[in-house]
Amino acid sequence: MEILKAELEAGRAVILPTETVYGVFAKALDQEAVELVYTLKQRPRDKAMNLNIANIDQVKKYAKEIPAYFEELAAHFWPGPLTILLKASEDVPFWINSGLPSVGFRMPAHPLTLQLIQEQGPLIGPSANLSGLQSGQVFKQIQEDICIPGYADDSFLTGVDSTILDLSQEQACILRQGVITKEDLKAVVPQLEFKEVEK
C-alpha cells in the first residue's frame, strides 16, 4: 500500500484492480502522469480518459448540467461497474478529456483502489492493457506488458468491462454494454429515455 501511494504521489502510475478488470492508475490532475499512462498503454492521444472518483462532490466539481436523477443512479450503482459520462465543467483539464464537451466518471468497488482514489484522487484508471488488446485480467501478464508496480487481486475481478452510460445529451445512451443493463437503469430511474447508438 505504501509503495502504491509513493508511486502515485511521485507522479508515476500503478496497476490496481477494480471489480471488473485491472486498470493503470495515475493522478488525473498531473499532466505528466497522465501522459505517462498514454505512453505505457500506447493509447491514441485523442482517446479521452475517465475520472475515477470516490464521492459525489468530485463529480459536481468536474461536471455541469447534471441531470436531477444522477444522484439516484450513483447511490444505487456506485461503487460498481458503471461509467457515467456528463457534460464537463471548466475544471476538467484538456489532457483528461482531450477537449471534448463531456467527461466520464467511475467509482470502482475494489476497497484498496477506492481508498487510494479517496486519498490521492481523482485518478485516471484506463484498463491495464496495451491499446487495442483485451482488457487486463491476469496480473502477471499485465506486469510483463506494462512494467510498473501494482496490487494483485485476480480473484476480485469479473472480467466484464463496466457499462458506459452517456448522460451528456438530452437522451441517455449506452455506449458500451456491461453487466448493468438498460432495464437495470430504468428500474432505478423509470423516466430515463434512451436513444439508440448508431451502428
Side-chain angles (χ1 to χ4, degrees), residues 20 45 48 58 67 78 86-87 90 96 99 102-103 119 127 131 136-139 158-159 168 171 173-174 176 194 198:
T20 56
R45 193 58 191 82
Q58 290 178 317
W78 280 353
L86 297 167
K87 289 185 178 178
E90 292 70 23
I96 296 294
S102 62
V103 63
E119 295 175 1
S127 57
S131 187
Q137 299 176 42
V138 180
F139 186 73
T158 65
S168 66
Q171 288 184 304
C173 182
I174 292 179
R176 181 177 71 195
F194 286 87
E198 295 181 5

Side-chain angles (χ1 to χ4, degrees), residues 122-133:
L123 304 179
I124 58 167
S127 57
N129 56 281
L130 298 180
S131 187
L133 300 182

Side-chain angles (χ1 to χ4, degrees), residues 153-172:
D153 192 359
D154 302 76
S155 63
F156 200 88
L157 311 179
T158 65
V160 181
D161 287 316
S162 65
T163 295
I164 299 178
L165 175 64
D166 186 353
L167 298 181
S168 66
Q169 307 294 324
E170 188 172 339
Q171 288 184 304

Side-chain angles (χ1 to χ4, degrees), residues 2-199:
E2 293 306 315
I3 292 174
L4 301 174
K5 286 183 183 179
E7 290 294 298
L8 290 170
E9 289 170 357
R12 293 188 284 268
V14 296
I15 298 166
L16 298 174
T18 67
E19 74 288 343
T20 56
V21 295
Y22 283 99
V24 182
F25 285 79
K27 284 196 167 189
L29 303 185
D30 184 333
Q31 185 176 2
E32 290 187 7
V34 173
E35 295 296 345
L36 172 63
V37 173
Y38 272 102
T39 300
L40 289 169
K41 281 179 55 67
Q42 301 174 22
R43 182 182 176 102
R45 193 58 191 82
D46 60 354
K47 193 173 181 183
M49 295 283 191
N50 295 325
L51 289 173
N52 285 264
I53 46 84
N55 57 67
I56 299 299
D57 288 340
Q58 290 178 317
V59 176
K60 293 177 179 177
K61 175 175 175 58
Y62 295 107
K64 62 183 180 182
E65 300 177 36
I66 301 172
Y69 53 77
F70 164 76
E71 289 196 35
E72 198 170 354
L73 283 174
H76 190 86
F77 293 107
W78 280 353
L82 180 65
T83 299
I84 299 178
L85 267 65
L86 297 167
K87 289 185 178 178
S89 76
E90 292 70 23
D91 289 320
V92 178
F94 68 89
W95 60 81
I96 296 294
N97 67 341
S98 301
L100 297 174
S102 62
V103 63
F105 295 91
R106 176 93 156 86
M107 189 184 291
H110 193 283
L112 178 136
T113 301
L114 195 58
Q115 181 182 340
L116 285 170
I117 295 169
Q118 181 71 55
E119 295 175 1
Q120 305 285 329
L123 304 179
I124 58 167
S127 57
N129 56 281
L130 298 180
S131 187
L133 300 182
Q134 184 178 1
S135 297
Q137 299 176 42
V138 180
F139 186 73
K140 286 185 178 180
Q141 180 61 52
I142 293 167
Q143 284 206 311
E144 289 178 11
D145 295 336
I146 304 172
C147 300
I148 56 175
Y151 182 82
D153 192 359
D154 302 76
S155 63
F156 200 88
L157 311 179
T158 65
V160 181
D161 287 316
S162 65
T163 295
I164 299 178
L165 175 64
D166 186 353
L167 298 181
S168 66
Q169 307 294 324
E170 188 172 339
Q171 288 184 304
C173 182
I174 292 179
L175 301 182
R176 181 177 71 195
Q177 184 64 67
V179 174
I180 297 170
T181 66
K182 182 187 298 185
E183 290 70 29
D184 295 330
L185 296 165
K186 285 186 72 69
V188 176
V189 182
Q191 69 267 35
L192 264 181
E193 293 185 7
F194 286 87
K195 68 176 180 180
E196 298 299 323
V197 179
E198 295 181 5
K199 301 296 183 181

